[in-house]
Amino acid sequence: MKFLVFLMMLVSNAAGLLDLSGKMFTFPEETNTAHMKLIPALVNLQAVTVCHRSFTDLKRDHSLFSLASPTDNNEFLVFMQWGVQEIQPHVRNLRVEYRGLDYAPNKWNSICTTWDSSSGLVQLWFNGQPLMKRYIANTSPLTNKPSIILGQEQDTHGGAFAADQSFVGMMADVHMWNYVLSACEIQKYMKEQNFTPGNVLNWAALEFQSTGRVLIENKEMSC
C-alpha cells in the first residue's frame, strides 16, 4: 500500500500544490533521465536565495540545484565539483568556488546560496556557517522563463542531461526566495526552526512534475 501511495504521487503531475513537510525526494539510481521539475510561483528574480538539504555518498561531480534559461543553461546553478572539492554557485555561466567544506558522505548537509543582481555578490551558507561573500556578476534580473530541475544538470533549457552529473541520494526542504534572505532567517532554516517559507519555491506548498524513478518518502531523521 505504501508503494502504491508513492507511485500515485509520482505519476500525478497535475496534482497542484503539495505539502512536502517531513518528506524527501529519493533519487535511487544514476540516470540521465530521472528528475523533478519545480514550478516557481514567481519569476521576477532580481535577487535569489535557494536553500535545500541533501544526503548522498557520491564521489563524483553532481548537481544540487539547476535553473536554466533559454539563453543560459547555468542561469543559476549550485554544483558540487568533486575532483577539487568545491561547491560552485553559477550565475549566467559565471561561477565562484567554495572549498574546504566538510561535505561528508551519508550525512545531511544544509546549503543556502544567495545572489543579488544589484551588487553582484554571492554568498554560500554551509551547515549553519556563513562563508565569504564573492563577486560573480552585477547584471540584470534572472530569466522570466526559468526551468528549475532537481536531480540533473541542464545543458539546455530543460534537458541535455548527463548521467555522470546526476544527483543520487535524498533531497528535502527546498525553498527559494526572490530576495536575499537575512542571516537570522537563514540560521532558522539551518536549525529547522520556524522561518519565512520561500515565495518562489515553498516545500510546504510545492508544484512539481516527476520524470523517471524518483520517490517521495518520509524524511529520514534520527530517533
Side-chain angles (χ1 to χ4, degrees):
M1 176 63 76
K2 181 186 291 187
F3 178 77
L4 179 59
V5 171
F6 290 157
L7 186 60
M8 290 173 64
M9 294 180 75
L10 288 173
V11 299
S12 180
N13 289 341
L17 301 178
L18 288 180
D19 183 355
L20 296 177
S21 301
K23 303 291 184 182
M24 64 184 183
F25 292 155
T26 298
F27 302 86
E29 59 185 351
E30 178 177 296
T31 76
N32 64 350
T33 55
H35 66 277
M36 287 292 194
K37 180 177 182 179
L38 309 186
I39 312 302
L42 299 172
V43 295
N44 179 22
L45 304 177
Q46 298 188 35
V48 174
T49 302
V50 172
C51 293
H52 50 84
R53 305 188 213 282
S54 58
F55 185 110
T56 185
D57 64 355
L58 287 174
K59 294 183 179 180
R60 59 159 173 78
D61 298 351
H62 53 275
S63 175
L64 292 167
F65 184 91
S66 175
L67 187 158
S69 75
T71 56
D72 291 294
N73 54 302
N74 295 335
E75 182 90 352
F76 190 86
L77 170 69
V78 183
F79 193 80
M80 177 61 191
Q81 190 83 34
W82 179 262
V84 289
Q85 287 292 286
E86 292 178 349
I87 295 180
Q88 300 174 344
H90 296 65
V91 178
R92 292 218 170 92
N93 293 316
L94 301 174
R95 80 178 191 216
V96 293
E97 299 87 18
Y98 288 94
R99 297 184 179 182
L101 305 176
D102 183 21
Y103 192 80
N106 295 312
K107 172 185 173 183
W108 283 105
N109 291 303
S110 297
I111 300 171
C112 290
T113 310
T114 71
W115 172 74
D116 190 340
S117 66
S118 63
S119 66
L121 293 180
V122 167
Q123 187 174 28
L124 192 76
W125 290 67
F126 185 79
N127 291 335
Q129 180 66 37
L131 306 181
M132 277 286 298
K133 291 186 178 182
R134 302 185 185 278
Y135 178 80
I136 191 169
N138 187 351
T139 184
S140 57
L142 298 185
T143 178
N144 61 3
K145 296 182 179 179
S147 171
I148 302 175
I149 300 292
L150 300 181
Q152 301 287 344
E153 195 272 322
Q154 301 173 81
D155 284 333
T156 63
H157 185 239
F161 305 139
D164 61 2
Q165 293 183 327
S166 65
F167 178 81
V168 181
M170 290 91 80
M171 194 167 290
D173 303 330
V174 181
H175 289 264
M176 183 176 184
W177 298 258
N178 67 343
Y179 56 91
V180 174
L181 207 61
S182 71
C184 183
E185 286 292 312
I186 291 178
Q187 290 284 7
K188 289 179 181 179
Y189 171 87
M190 294 283 177
K191 295 176 182 178
E192 302 194 52
Q193 298 174 347
N194 290 329
F195 62 93
T196 303
N199 63 343
V200 179
L201 298 172
N202 178 358
W203 193 250
L206 190 67
E207 184 177 0
F208 59 91
Q209 297 173 352
S210 171
T211 298
R213 193 185 306 277
V214 186
L215 304 179
I216 300 174
E217 301 184 285
N218 291 328
K219 186 179 175 184
E220 295 182 350
M221 302 292 290
S222 299
C223 295

